[in-house]
Amino acid sequence: MKSQSTESRIAQLCIEHGLKMTGQRRVIARVLSDADDHPDVEELYRRASALDSRISVATVYRTVRLLEEKGILERRDFGGGRARYEATEHGRHHYHLIDVDNGKVTEFEDPEHEELMRRVAERLGFDFVSMRLELFGKKRPPAPQDSKTPQASKRKGADS
Amino acid sequence: MKSQSTESRIAQLCIEHGLKMTGQRRVIARVLSDADDHPDVEELYRRASALDSRISVATVYRTVRLLEEKGILERRDFGGGRARYEATEHGRHHYHLIDVDNGKVTEFEDPEHEELMRRVAERLGFDFVSMRLELFGKKRPPAPQDSKTPQASKRKGADS
DNA sequence: ATAGCTGCAAACGCTTTGCCTCGAA
DNA sequence: TTCGAGGCAAAGCGTTTGCAGCTAT
């Protein structure tokens, strides 16, 4: 039975993975748990510093790296040179559509996709290991009137 | 009528784009024209230097950047920190499957794919601009029998 | 007590750039 | 002649790391 502690979701995972919970780590874990976008290290550092000023970028770098190795975090590369991070969502594979005008990220699912790629790899004589897919687009101005129901499954969109 | 000069294919394009054809540029253009893989700058520099030692890396960097802006070259990112380049093939869109064991790249086409992604973007309220897709796989040992018969339909595979 | 963390600053790997010379057009 | 191009070395940028001092456990 999991004790309903005061730890953030990711802090919990850190504990389960036997990581030492220092003050800095706890703060970074909280920031990550609260994030519903895809922050880069600089942004994580900014948010963490706001909660506790005694944190250095080096620690943020070391932490995201460690959490990625533990499978708690996933590193993304949307171009632009900086790595972006998001909490691992087991099972729920999703992809990203980046707005070329403002960098905002919209997630989307496409269950058939991986299966399709798996078959392509197969055909070429390879065992599928993983894939990377990013869509880049420009937001289309909403159609004239108000016709469509706003059902665009945009879960996360607060990226810079 | 295009004069059948001694210039390499890419050198031709440079001329058509009004670029000054210096010795260095001509050499780099030739290296790029002859390449049937996806070399990074270091590799291009190595190959170019072998043909003409008075070339600096800075020039290679400046040249690939310029050619990319002109649409003559396309930059790829297969992970690993370094940009890879290949000549633009108008019309023939293709994707890449990277062998996680040795980095070798196999190209493949998938005409339906872009259309599929175009529809996804559409559905999310975006106009499709571009996409990035990379497959990572491990070479599957050929069926039983014979130990190793290298017959995979790999057009380009000399990547490191 | 001690393995694991952290801060700081230096180092790193890839890429860009300032400056001044050179050469294609 | 002139403006683009090249060489060299320094700088830039995101990220990693060595070292020495802390701190959860």
Side-chain angles (χ1 to χ4, degrees), chain A residues 116-134:
Chain A
L116 208 67
M117 291 302 100
R118 208 173 275 278
R119 250 178 268 132
V120 169
E122 196 89 353
R123 172 161 56 81
L124 298 176
F126 287 78
D127 281 330
F128 178 94
V129 171
S130 67
M131 61 171 294
R132 201 163 80 178
L133 167 67
E134 271 104 45

Side-chain angles (χ1 to χ4, degrees), chain B residues 110-129:
Chain B
D110 190 353
E112 311 166 56
H113 197 94
E114 188 175 311
E115 188 46 44
L116 208 68
M117 291 302 101
R118 209 173 274 278
R119 249 178 268 132
V120 169
E122 196 90 353
R123 172 161 56 81
L124 297 177
F126 287 79
D127 282 329
F128 177 94
V129 170

Side-chain angles (χ1 to χ4, degrees), chain A residues 22 24-25 54-56 59 62:
Chain A
T22 64
Q24 295 82 327
R25 193 107 96 197
R54 39 162 210 178
I55 286 180
S56 72
T59 296
R62 279 193 271 238

Side-chain angles (χ1 to χ4, degrees), chain A residues 38 78 84 94-109 133-140 152-154 156-157 159, chain B residues 117-132:
Chain A
H38 309 73
F78 297 158
R84 311 279 216 102
H94 63 261
Y95 307 101
H96 303 87
L97 186 164
I98 295 94
D99 187 322
V100 296
D101 290 326
N102 55 29
K104 281 194 167 56
V105 177
T106 302
E107 300 186 347
F108 67 93
E109 294 183 57
L133 167 67
E134 271 104 45
L135 240 52
F136 295 88
K138 278 175 124 67
K139 182 166 253 141
R140 174 152 33 71
S153 58
K154 175 188 293 188
K156 307 182 176 184
D159 291 291
Chain B
M117 291 302 101
R118 209 173 274 278
R119 249 178 268 132
V120 169
E122 196 90 353
R123 172 161 56 81
L124 297 177
F126 287 79
D127 282 329
F128 177 94
V129 170
S130 67
M131 62 171 294
R132 200 161 83 177

Side-chain angles (χ1 to χ4, degrees), chain B residues 8-9 13-14 18 24-25 31 48 58 76 88 92 100 108 127:
Chain B
S8 64
R9 198 178 72 75
L13 292 170
C14 288
Q24 293 87 324
R25 194 164 279 175
V31 168
R76 303 290 183 191
T88 299
R92 280 180 100 279
V100 296
F108 67 92
D127 282 329

Side-chain angles (χ1 to χ4, degrees), chain B residues 20-21 61-62 65 81-83:
Chain B
K20 223 180 245 186
M21 286 314 291
Y61 271 107
R62 280 193 270 236
R65 195 173 213 264
R82 326 155 82 91

Side-chain angles (χ1 to χ4, degrees), chain A residues 57-115:
Chain A
V57 240
T59 296
V60 177
Y61 272 108
R62 279 193 271 238
T63 303
V64 292
R65 196 173 210 262
L66 181 63
L67 298 198
E68 194 204 343
E69 285 166 2
K70 296 291 187 184
I72 297 173
L73 237 51
E74 282 181 4
R75 188 211 309 252
R76 303 288 184 193
D77 172 14
F78 297 158
R82 324 154 84 90
R84 311 279 216 102
Y85 294 87
E86 72 179 314
T88 298
E89 294 177 57
H90 293 91
R92 275 180 103 279
H93 280 205
H94 63 261
Y95 307 101
H96 303 87
L97 186 164
I98 295 94
D99 187 322
V100 296
D101 290 326
N102 55 29
K104 281 194 167 56
V105 177
T106 302
E107 300 186 347
F108 67 93
E109 294 183 57
D110 190 353
E112 311 166 56
H113 198 95
E114 188 175 311
E115 188 46 43

